[in-house]
Amino acid sequence: EMSEMSERSKQNVAHGLAWSYYVGYLKIVLPRVKKSMEEFSRANPNLLACRKTWKLHILVPLSCDVYDEMEKADSNIQYVTDLTETTLARAGTKKRVYKHSLYAIRDEENQLWHCAVEYATPLQSLYAMSQDECAAFSREERLEQAKLFYRTLEEILKGSKECADTYRLIAYEEPKEAETHFLSREIVWHLRQEHHEEIAVLEGSPPHTPSTSTGLDSAELNLQISVSDLPQPLRTDGF
């Protein structure tokens, strides 16, 4: 009976996608991220000066609108290179390759910030399901599924010791009116936070929270799934 109720409410979809994403991908690649960033930093010491940014920045757009080429989402985001590949035998596939791309993010002062960033790919599945008559996902249901995916993934990663301090979840809701450089500002906000965190650690003082730079920075996005859930902030490190 509980299974039937879960299927009717579609609550199992996002939960399963989050676990699959973690077990089949993040648990494999995240423990190797810092090593790849360190190798790149040795060859390019000026690009990744802040060690706090040596992690995978995972974009979670609640609209599930995922771009295959990030430059098309925001021209202030430009591909630089790929980090060192990880090659493993996986589920019968010999030499399966896992890799991350490094991007240069241009801020409003024309300064470049470098980081490894990518979308949470399961959101593409949620979007596709909302477009498929067989799945019968409405836009509202897709939004709830995206929220549930984020909340579930956040909890999974919080409990993962091997993934600690190797990622940063960037959940966001795009503005109703199109903004050309919304995404780059969103990413830069997080990079600035990480930069301040590193300075605080070096100085032995509590992290400083800078003034917010975008419309959603000062407001918390309510990621409630039910009335019993407490509101969760949009910006979270996930650790």
Side-chain angles (χ1 to χ4, degrees):
E1 183 179 351
M2 289 297 294
S3 178
E4 289 178 2
M5 290 174 61
S6 180
E7 285 189 28
R8 284 197 298 269
S9 64
K10 302 184 178 68
Q11 289 178 352
N12 57 332
V13 175
H15 185 266
L17 285 174
W19 270 104
S20 177
Y21 184 47
Y22 168 69
V23 174
Y25 179 64
L26 295 181
K27 191 176 181 181
I28 298 170
V29 302
L30 287 181
R32 297 171 170 83
V33 164
K34 284 192 181 297
K35 182 180 178 181
S36 295
M37 301 291 276
E38 186 174 5
E39 290 175 357
F40 180 85
S41 182
R42 283 200 295 266
N44 305 272
N46 295 327
L47 297 187
L48 295 173
C50 177
R51 296 182 67 91
K52 272 289 185 178
T53 65
W54 291 11
K55 57 188 68 172
L56 183 61
H57 297 76
I58 304 171
L59 303 179
V60 186
L62 298 182
S63 65
C64 297
D65 194 3
V66 173
Y67 288 80
D68 290 326
E69 298 182 36
M70 298 195 65
E71 293 89 344
K72 292 182 178 179
D74 189 324
S75 61
N76 276 353
I77 304 175
Q78 294 294 321
Y79 168 79
V80 176
T81 188
D82 290 330
L83 298 177
T84 306
E85 298 178 351
T86 296
T87 304
L88 300 171
R90 188 74 176 167
T93 300
K94 298 289 186 180
K95 298 181 180 180
R96 177 165 290 183
V97 175
Y98 298 88
K99 65 181 179 180
H100 310 292
S101 296
L102 189 77
Y103 286 88
I105 320 294
R106 189 176 302 277
D107 65 16
E108 63 277 5
E109 297 174 355
N110 216 32
Q111 178 182 352
L112 291 179
W113 301 72
H114 294 83
C115 69
V117 59
E118 61 189 48
Y119 287 99
T121 51
L123 295 178
Q124 288 183 310
S125 298
L126 282 178
Y127 187 86
M129 290 177 70
S130 70
Q131 304 298 308
D132 194 306
E133 293 182 0
C134 295
F137 259 20
S138 67
R139 180 175 297 180
E140 292 75 19
E141 287 173 326
R142 185 181 71 199
L143 175 60
E144 290 305 308
Q145 289 295 313
K147 292 178 181 179
L148 182 56
F149 171 83
Y150 168 73
R151 292 283 297 279
T152 304
L153 183 61
E154 182 185 37
E155 289 303 312
I156 293 171
L157 288 171
K158 278 183 178 179
S160 175
K161 293 181 180 179
E162 59 264 55
C163 294
D165 202 30
T166 62
Y167 67 94
R168 190 173 183 108
L169 296 179
I170 304 179
Y172 59 92
E173 190 169 29
E174 295 178 351
K176 293 181 179 179
E177 295 184 6
E179 293 184 24
T180 307
H181 301 302
F182 168 80
L183 184 56
S184 58
R185 289 199 303 271
E186 192 74 15
I187 297 171
V188 167
W189 190 94
H190 284 268
L191 295 175
R192 283 177 174 151
Q193 286 288 82
E194 290 167 339
H195 181 73
H196 283 285
E197 288 166 11
E198 177 158 297
I199 292 175
V201 170
L202 293 174
E203 294 179 348
S205 58
H208 169 67
T209 302
S211 58
T212 55
S213 59
T214 63
L216 278 177
D217 291 338
S218 58
E220 290 185 345
L221 177 62
N222 187 339
L223 293 178
Q224 289 177 296
I225 306 304
S226 68
V227 293
S228 62
D229 290 323
L230 292 175
Q232 298 292 317
L234 168 64
R235 303 190 183 283
T236 176
D237 295 350
F239 57 89

